[in-house]
Every structure is written in C-alpha cells, then in structure tokens.
Amino acid sequence: MLTVDFDIFDVNVGDVILDAGCGEGRHSIECVLQGANVYSMDLDLASLRKARYTLTHINEKDRKSDGGRFQVHIGNALDLPFKEKTFDRIICSEVMEHVTDDDLACKELVRTLKNGGKIVITVPTTFSEYLYGLITDEYFTSPGGHIRKYLPGKLIKIMKNNNLEIYNIRFKHSFHAIYWLIRCVVGLHLEDHVITKTYKNFLVLTMQSNLMKKIESFFDFFFPKSMVVYAYKK
C-alpha cells in the first residue's frame, strides 16, 4: 500500500532518498524498484528488520534499472544522523502525528534535503482522527499512538515556515479509513477479531485490483484516511 504517488513525487534513477519513519519499508521498496538509493530509517527495530528482509529479497526482474540500493538505519526524526543537503528526495509518511515536536522534525528533514529537492509528508486527516477519537479513547492513549490532529493549514504552515514550497496536495486511503473505523468499534487491541480480519482480507484484494484502486480513489474525495503534501526546498 503506497500513500505517496511516485509520479507526482518524480523519483529518478540514482536519486538518494530518505524514508524517515519507514516502518516495514513499503515506500522504501518502491524507491528501490524505481532505481533510487534509499536510506530506510525508523526507531522501531522489529519494523526495520522486516524492511531489511523484504528489501533484500526484491525480485531483480521487477526493478526498472540496475540501480536501487538501500541502507537501514535506526534514527530519530528529531535528530537525523545525516549531513546537511544529503538527499534528493525525502519521504515522511504517517510520522509527524507521533513526534513530540513536529516543527523541529520538519526543520531536521529540510536540513538534510538538497536545495530544490522534493519532500512528501503524509498525516492522517482531521475527520478520521476526530471520528476515531470519539469512538474510543484507546486510539490516542495506546503506547506509540497519535499525539496530535492536523488541520490541512497547520501542516502546510509548518512546512512553509521551514522553507518549503507546496506544489501538490492529495487525499488517499478511503477504504483504509473504514478499516480503522472497524478496529475502533471492535477494539484496537482485537486485531484478530473476525470482522477486522475479514475486512483486512478485502483490503489485500483491493490493492491487487486496478478497478478497486480506481473505485477507492473516487471515495478518497469523501472520507480519506491520509492527507499527502508534496513540496520542494526553495
């Protein structure tokens, strides 16, 4: 499941990319397939191990070029272990709602981005976050959970204040908004609940069907799960 549209993000063969908060590596995998060189960074060691395993076993036939290298790093978005102007592209997907200081996190990301380089930041939509919070306190009180909600203007202001120029905004994952709604209703801790598992299987099928992807993109106008903001460093 990709939240970032790589056509809009304009990833090129040989680009050096930071996937900050890579999780299990879904965007890092696409970077490698596009022929870019990715630094996959996260604080969670278990997720990094899964990302490294999957990246190691990418089918060479699926790559668009002979390029596409990766390194896996433990790191904190508030204090990135990289020099200034290191990266051509930076992905920061579903991270800002977790960090204690989102302005500092944005500043660090911009510090390591080359002048003219592009960055994409994704966060949950305001509507979905308020809805889940109304259903259960568990959504915002679970360890590692979200600590803030974003109105679109709030994130955009932070990005502009840190020398970024917005060039595109998209909304994604309406079907996944329903998944998290179900989890909130039945209990976030009950990930193996029969309703949750059944709908998750449906999601897997949608990700394999171009028709279902188009149907989901239509509903993204009405109840998306994620807001995706694309920008470049001035």
Side-chain angles (χ1 to χ4, degrees):
M1 180 190 77
L2 295 178
T3 305
V4 175
D5 186 319
F6 277 69
D7 291 329
I8 297 174
F9 198 41
D10 188 28
V11 171
N12 303 300
V13 172
D15 279 347
V16 180
I17 300 179
L18 172 63
D19 188 0
C22 66
E24 297 181 6
R26 59 198 175 103
H27 289 111
S28 293
I29 294 165
E30 185 63 23
C31 290
V32 171
L33 292 175
Q34 296 279 347
N37 302 309
V38 63
Y39 289 74
S40 305
M41 189 197 79
D42 205 288
L43 275 174
D44 184 67
L45 183 58
S47 294
L48 281 176
R49 284 173 174 163
K50 291 179 181 178
R52 183 176 61 183
Y53 177 84
T54 308
L55 286 163
T56 302
H57 291 83
I58 288 177
N59 191 330
E60 294 295 329
K61 294 185 296 184
D62 294 331
R63 296 175 186 257
K64 291 188 176 180
S65 76
D66 294 332
R69 302 291 180 263
F70 70 90
Q71 293 186 28
V72 176
H73 295 263
I74 293 179
N76 190 331
L78 299 178
D79 186 18
L80 294 174
F82 303 106
K83 295 180 179 179
E84 293 184 5
K85 302 176 182 178
T86 297
F87 300 105
D88 300 293
R89 302 284 186 272
I90 293 179
I91 298 170
C92 184
S93 183
E94 311 298 299
V95 173
M96 299 290 274
E97 67 273 15
H98 295 275
V99 299
T100 55
D101 189 335
D102 53 352
D103 184 67
L104 176 58
C106 188
K107 192 183 302 293
E108 273 291 278
L109 293 170
V110 173
R111 178 183 67 81
T112 63
L113 182 64
K114 294 178 182 178
N115 292 339
K118 293 182 178 180
I119 182 171
V120 56
I121 298 178
T122 87
V123 296
T125 59
T126 312
F127 171 77
S128 63
E129 294 290 273
Y130 272 105
L131 179 60
Y132 304 151
L134 286 173
I135 295 171
T136 175
D137 292 335
E138 195 177 4
Y139 190 78
F140 286 100
T141 58
S142 299
H146 301 177
I147 63 173
R148 69 174 61 82
K149 306 178 185 73
Y150 281 101
L151 290 168
K154 179 181 179 182
L155 177 60
I156 290 169
K157 181 179 180 181
I158 290 172
M159 294 175 71
K160 286 185 174 180
N161 287 346
N162 282 285
N163 200 34
L164 294 173
E165 187 71 28
I166 311 301
Y167 71 88
N168 205 315
I169 300 174
R170 294 295 174 94
F171 294 89
K172 298 289 290 288
H173 303 322
S174 54
F175 287 174
H176 289 77
I178 298 172
Y179 170 75
W180 285 101
L181 177 62
I182 291 171
R183 288 197 61 182
C184 288
V185 171
V186 303
L188 283 173
H189 58 288
L190 299 176
E191 192 171 353
D192 290 332
H193 191 282
V194 62
I195 299 177
T196 304
K197 290 178 68 175
T198 301
Y199 189 80
K200 187 174 183 179
N201 290 335
F202 163 75
L203 284 180
V204 173
L205 291 175
T206 65
M207 288 185 283
Q208 298 171 350
S209 166
N210 289 330
L211 174 60
M212 293 304 293
K213 288 178 182 178
K214 290 180 180 179
I215 293 173
E216 183 182 28
S217 66
F218 171 77
F219 286 106
D220 287 343
F221 288 101
F222 303 101
F223 49 89
K225 176 70 172 66
S226 297
M227 178 176 70
V228 189
V229 183
Y230 301 85
Y232 63 87
K233 183 176 178 179
K234 292 187 284 188

